[in-house]
Amino acid sequence: MIDPLDFYGTRLSSRLLLGTAQYPSPAILAEAVRGSGAGIVTVSLRRESGALRSGQDFWQFIRGLGARILPNTAGCHSVKEAVTTAQMAREVFGIGWIKLEVIGEADTLQPDVFGLVEAARILSADGFEVFPYTTEDLVVAERLVEAGCRVLMPWGAPIGSGRGLNNVFGLRAMRAHFPGIPLVVDAGIGTPSQAAAAMELGYDAVLLNTAVAKAGDPALMARAFAMAIEAGRLAFRADPMEPRDMAVPSTPVLGKALLA
């Protein structure tokens, strides 16, 4: 049985976080969430008309999925925009969790780490519990922790790229440097094997969206990711053997018969 996960004092049985964008239909999204067993779903808030109550049906649908909601500031390119979006999300959903994104580069969607730290400091001071989408840079991570973040979410690769873990060395170093901070690989995971590899590094969870939403069968792919993440976590806890340069026989040679 996979061990529980703790985010800001909230315990969760699943280590898979699932995004809710790009699915062919709400019904398929619901099937994927059920197939994944995800304890958290992320939602991008858009500025809807308050008078027309536009978007309310979707928010009610998201609430009905049975998973905890993690609003995000996807698409924000400035500190002011990200902070305002976070405040709007708290009003809509009535929760203080926020996945903080401040995008700095259009082609890679790489975070603006300077704006990210500033926004994290503002939101933490305002009572938010911040989940920052960041890089694997240790200095930036230190600044985010100093700003009040108790979870870090480094990217594996650019959002939606499916390239997996581009910098295994950097991700491993981050895990070693922050042994007591929950770490989530966020973005770039394309296959269950890549998710398992992240968990085998000792990461606490994986956040997915495109790899499930764009699969031929999103519900089946979500289930495959859930199984891979559990397998990777169990493998990490089991303390895998170290790689070797030379072969080592698995059958002992002591006592082997000598043939003349």
Side-chain angles (χ1 to χ4, degrees):
M1 184 67 179
I2 198 165
D3 51 320
L5 174 64
D6 188 296
F7 286 150
Y8 289 103
T10 297
R11 290 170 67 85
L12 301 154
S13 59
S14 172
R15 291 175 178 268
L16 172 57
L17 289 69
L18 195 64
T20 56
Q22 305 184 72
Y23 289 83
S25 70
I28 292 175
L29 166 58
E31 290 176 4
V33 172
R34 287 193 293 268
S36 71
I40 295 175
V41 295
T42 64
V43 180
S44 176
L45 187 71
R46 290 291 178 258
R47 294 165 180 75
E48 304 290 356
S49 168
L52 297 177
R53 305 286 292 174
S54 176
Q56 295 304 309
D57 289 345
F58 180 70
W59 305 141
Q60 292 301 324
F61 168 77
I62 292 295
R63 288 189 179 98
L65 292 176
R68 187 177 179 100
I69 297 171
L70 176 59
N72 68 37
T73 63
C76 293
H77 292 261
S78 70
V79 172
K80 181 178 181 180
E81 188 180 16
V83 169
T84 301
T85 301
Q87 293 168 339
M88 291 171 61
R90 183 164 59 182
E91 291 183 12
V92 170
F93 294 108
I95 56 178
W97 278 15
I98 192 71
K99 180 192 169 189
L100 179 61
E101 298 183 26
V102 183
I103 301 301
E105 205 282 319
D107 291 331
T108 63
L109 300 180
Q110 180 168 330
D112 170 0
V113 295
F114 304 101
L116 182 69
V117 171
E118 183 181 350
R121 185 173 291 111
I122 293 169
L123 291 172
S124 295
D126 192 27
F128 283 88
E129 293 174 325
V130 180
F131 295 68
Y133 163 62
T134 184
T135 67
E136 68 277 17
D137 188 295
L138 297 182
V139 177
V140 174
E142 287 279 13
R143 298 295 182 270
L144 288 168
V145 172
E146 291 170 2
C149 299
R150 297 294 174 262
V151 177
L152 297 172
M153 304 180 74
W155 65 349
I159 292 172
S161 68
R163 297 182 61 86
L165 308 181
N166 273 354
N167 185 1
V168 173
F169 172 83
L171 292 170
R172 185 180 287 116
M174 179 174 276
R175 177 71 286 174
H177 196 72
F178 297 98
I181 299 287
L183 300 180
V184 181
V185 171
D186 174 15
I189 298 295
T191 62
S193 60
Q194 294 167 355
M199 299 303 292
E200 288 174 7
L201 290 177
Y203 276 69
D204 296 281
V206 173
L207 195 158
L208 307 163
N209 192 162
T210 308
V212 173
K214 294 300 185 180
D217 187 332
L220 189 60
M221 184 61 77
R223 183 182 175 196
F225 270 110
M227 296 171 70
I229 287 169
E230 180 167 358
R233 178 64 181 179
L234 293 176
F236 170 73
R237 291 177 60 198
D239 191 14
M241 64 174 284
E242 293 293 328
R244 298 164 173 165
D245 292 330
M246 302 295 290
V248 177
S250 57
T251 302
V253 295
L254 185 65
K256 180 180 177 181
L258 296 178
L259 302 177

